[in-house]
Amino acid sequence: MMSLFRSRLFWFIALLVGTSPAIAQTTQTRAEALAQDAAEYARAYGVPAPEAVRRLIAQQDSVPAIDAIAERYRDRLAGISVQHRPDYRFIVYLTGESPVAPTSVMAGSMRVPVQFRTGAKASRERVLWALTHHQPAIRAALSGTPSMGIDPRTGELVVIAAQSVVDRAGGAATLDTRLTQLAGVPVRIRMLDLVDRNLGPQGGGRLDGTDPASGRRYRCTSGFLVGDGTRTAITTAAHCLDDLAYIDPARQATPLGFVGQWGWGYHDVQIHAVPTAARPTFFADTARTLTRPVEAQRSKTSTRAGDFVCHRGESTGYSCAEVTLLDFAPAGQLCGGYCLPTWVAVAGPTCKLGDSGGPVFSGTTAFGIVKGATFRPDGSCAFYFYMSLDYLPTPWRLLTEAPAALVQGQ
């Protein structure tokens, strides 16, 4: 009887954390997870696999040292970014003309150069304030729904709008000047014909539900396990349906218990209770044969333009790319109104409907959950954007180790 109970318990736990006894599963070690992501990095930047591993270790291990530099130069800081070519280094962009000598930080087995550039016209804090407070006026000036964000590589407020919209407003150069005067910080127009939208609930996925109004079935992607001190739950995106079931590879449905959703301003997260203890793992490959433990969480303030992150969605599978914009505000009213500039944008080309709620990660470190994406007119993915796990609603927090009860039962 106990053997049968444990078998059933394993099956139910497996469904909820993204593994299935119907398919051979492997839980990766930290080194195996790193090697998988490093293979993507090596392909992206044309470096040998060992160098890719060293750089991804440095990306994670450098956080305390780079955060300390950011704090030291907080009053002058315009942005911090990661350079991948021709070498790997950190670029710190500062206001004013007073030079700062280059330095380096020890991260993993690498001593990574840190280069300071001066001459930025405004600090990041000032640009963020301008973006937050002048967003309605900027939208009105363009008579459209542009997306906006901060580019830490240049210290500019970037406004992304269709060329036709920009032309009607007088052209890019004219708008740069006008919006810079309006916001009081450097503004740069990017002319791209793009459409921002939430990534679901469509496209095929592990979380399935039926819209009671239309009778149509919709799907999203599960994210990370979270806890509130007494309950264990799994996340997805708030714009997914409330009543969801986990669909296993044999097409068997396991209903999930709806706890709540938070989808305004800076939130897009929905939580479904898990009635049993479960390991905090997630799928990390397209075929759903590899799972990873969650061992750490990266905060938004410690995320840098150029960080190499990966995500997994039910429509696109596993892929990796660079963080492009921080403090991003998508176009359109995707957050119960216009979104606050709290989102993080990551370069495409892999995002599709149905990826909503999926995990964003590097190695065994969790970054956030996918909200939406920006598409070109031909339907291709320009970039996707995610909610940092910093914004999980209180008292829920990311789980990074197995509950003691589950460990003792092994």
Side-chain angles (χ1 to χ4, degrees):
M1 180 64 71
M2 181 59 69
S3 175
L4 178 61
F5 171 77
R6 286 189 174 180
S7 175
R8 288 176 176 172
L9 177 62
F10 172 75
W11 175 263
F12 190 61
I13 289 171
L15 293 177
L16 293 169
V17 300
T19 62
S20 170
I23 300 176
Q25 304 289 335
T26 299
T27 299
Q28 295 178 312
T29 64
R30 184 185 306 176
E32 289 168 339
L34 182 65
Q36 181 186 346
D37 293 351
E40 296 299 308
Y41 185 101
R43 279 192 285 271
Y45 301 107
V47 299
E51 175 65 11
V53 169
R54 291 174 67 235
R55 292 185 182 189
L56 290 187
I57 292 174
Q59 174 175 285
Q60 180 63 27
D61 289 355
S62 63
V63 168
I66 298 302
D67 282 356
I69 290 174
E71 181 60 29
R72 180 178 178 183
Y73 295 99
R74 179 176 178 178
D75 292 343
R76 297 182 61 188
L77 185 65
I80 297 176
S81 61
V82 182
Q83 174 183 289
H84 299 276
R85 294 188 178 102
D87 60 358
Y88 189 82
R89 65 177 57 207
F90 298 105
I91 308 296
V92 182
Y93 196 28
L94 303 175
T95 60
E97 300 299 335
S98 178
V100 177
T103 186
S104 63
V105 297
M106 196 67 195
S109 62
M110 290 183 69
R111 181 161 292 281
V112 185
V114 179
Q115 179 182 350
F116 294 87
R117 295 177 181 170
T118 59
K121 301 301 182 183
S123 68
R124 175 192 171 275
E125 289 187 352
R126 185 179 163 197
V127 177
L128 180 57
W129 185 93
L131 173 54
T132 302
H133 288 82
H134 294 295
Q135 185 178 163
I138 293 172
R139 294 188 188 282
L142 284 167
S143 302
T145 55
S147 54
M148 310 174 206
I150 297 175
D151 188 344
R153 297 175 175 88
T154 65
E156 295 169 315
L157 194 168
V158 176
V159 178
I160 304 172
Q163 182 169 346
S164 58
V165 172
V166 173
D167 290 344
R168 286 197 301 270
T174 299
L175 270 176
D176 285 349
T177 301
R178 186 193 312 171
L179 295 181
T180 295
Q181 292 173 344
L182 184 158
V185 298
V187 176
R188 176 164 52 92
I189 295 289
R190 288 186 186 174
M191 291 183 291
L192 296 171
D193 290 319
L194 302 173
V195 177
D196 291 352
R197 62 190 305 177
N198 288 323
L199 282 181
Q202 296 181 38
R206 301 189 65 85
L207 300 183
D208 201 344
T210 301
D211 183 352
S214 67
R216 295 179 60 189
R217 297 190 69 81
Y218 294 100
R219 297 174 183 175
C220 283
T221 303
S222 58
F224 297 106
L225 281 175
V226 295
D228 67 353
T230 59
R231 294 173 293 176
T232 301
I234 197 163
T235 64
T236 189
H239 60 270
C240 297
L241 297 179
D242 295 353
D243 295 324
L244 291 170
Y246 178 93
I247 308 300
D248 68 28
R251 306 297 299 168
Q252 298 299 308
T254 299
L256 302 177
F258 177 77
V259 173
Q261 63 178 210
W262 297 260
W264 299 87
Y266 60 94
H267 277 136
D268 194 344
V269 58
Q270 186 164 285
I271 292 177
H272 292 263
V274 176
T276 61
R279 289 190 181 280
T281 62
F282 61 94
F283 274 123
D285 69 326
T286 299
R288 298 186 300 188
T289 61
L290 300 175
T291 62
R292 292 188 189 180
V294 178
E295 298 183 327
Q297 176 181 336
R298 177 75 75 87
S299 70
K300 182 175 178 292
T301 56
S302 296
T303 303
R304 302 153 307 211
D307 275 341
F308 191 74
V309 300
C310 306
H311 87 287
R312 188 195 180 280
E314 280 301 321
S315 295
T316 59
Y318 162 85
S319 64
C320 306
E322 281 188 37
V323 170
T324 57
L325 294 175
L326 301 174
D327 307 302
F328 179 69
Q333 300 188 40
L334 303 183
C335 301
Y338 289 114
C339 298
L340 295 176
T342 56
W343 309 87
V344 180
V346 181
T350 51
C351 58
K352 288 183 180 179
L353 300 177
D355 286 353
S356 283
V360 180
F361 52 91
S362 178
T364 55
T365 297
F367 280 63
I369 56 177
V370 173
K371 172 179 173 56
T374 301
F375 295 97
R376 300 182 182 90
D378 64 2
S380 62
C381 172
F383 51 85
Y384 70 88
F385 40 95
Y386 71 84
M387 185 196 84
S388 168
L389 293 171
D390 294 348
Y391 299 123
L392 286 173
T394 304
W396 295 95
R397 63 178 181 83
L398 180 72
L399 295 182
T400 56
E401 58 184 13
L406 184 62
V407 175
Q408 292 169 1
Q410 298 299 306

